[in-house]
Amino acid sequence: MRILGLDYGTKTVGVAMSDPDGFLASPLETIRRKDEIALKATIRRICQIADEYNIHTVILGYPLNMDDSEGQAALKVKAFKKRLEKDMYRCRVILQDERLTTVEAEEPMILAGIRDRRKRKEKLDQMAACVILQEWLDNHQDEIKEMTND
């Protein structure tokens, strides 16, 4: 049983996936699109990944403001969640607070010597998805154990 993590953005969606036991998140890919509202191909690719890896749970980054309020980005994520739930009706889609995950995802790349911002950007979305998913995995091990026992 694997769990998918998504970092939704205006032009990209970072994708990460858990190991079969639900302990470790790993970056998978970045889905790119030219138009913010053109989601058909993006949803289709996420569905392909879900089918290929037998995904039943999707953790979607939820960009709340620092004061816990919802801004425009959070409202867009909620709309994207509705689309995912409609097209991926067999999957449970869970919102996960993603505040500061981009900073957290970028730091190891800088420490690894990737100084060029463009090179970091290529992997940043999937690394942010990885951080989002790992935070959820770390906080829900009891639930994951129940899911794997079913």
Side-chain angles (χ1 to χ4, degrees), residues 14-59:
V15 183
M17 188 169 48
S18 76
D19 67 310
D21 295 321
F23 287 116
L24 184 64
S26 299
L28 187 63
E29 69 180 72
T30 301
I31 302 168
R32 301 183 191 291
R33 64 185 179 284
K34 292 180 182 177
D35 186 358
E36 181 179 355
I37 59 172
L39 295 174
K40 207 177 261 189
T42 299
I43 300 278
R44 185 173 35 247
R45 179 62 189 138
I46 294 168
C47 288
Q48 288 170 342
I49 294 167
D51 287 343
E52 181 178 346
Y53 292 100
N54 197 25
I55 303 290
H56 294 286
T57 303
V58 176
I59 307 304

Side-chain angles (χ1 to χ4, degrees), residues 30-95:
T30 301
I31 302 168
R32 301 183 191 291
R33 64 185 179 284
K34 292 180 182 177
D35 186 358
E36 181 179 355
I37 59 172
L39 295 174
K40 207 177 261 189
T42 299
I43 300 278
R44 185 173 35 247
R45 179 62 189 138
I46 294 168
C47 288
Q48 288 170 342
I49 294 167
D51 287 343
E52 181 178 346
Y53 292 100
N54 197 25
I55 303 290
H56 294 286
T57 303
V58 176
I59 307 304
L60 177 60
Y62 187 44
L64 292 170
N65 292 325
M66 294 308 279
D67 65 357
D68 289 336
S69 65
E70 288 182 332
Q72 279 300 110
L75 296 175
K76 288 177 183 180
V77 165
K78 280 179 132 177
F80 183 67
K81 178 182 185 278
K82 283 184 182 179
R83 276 291 296 277
L84 278 178
E85 289 172 329
K86 178 179 166 244
D87 291 351
M88 301 176 71
Y89 57 90
R90 292 178 295 151
C91 287
R92 181 171 66 144
V93 181
I94 299 169
L95 294 175

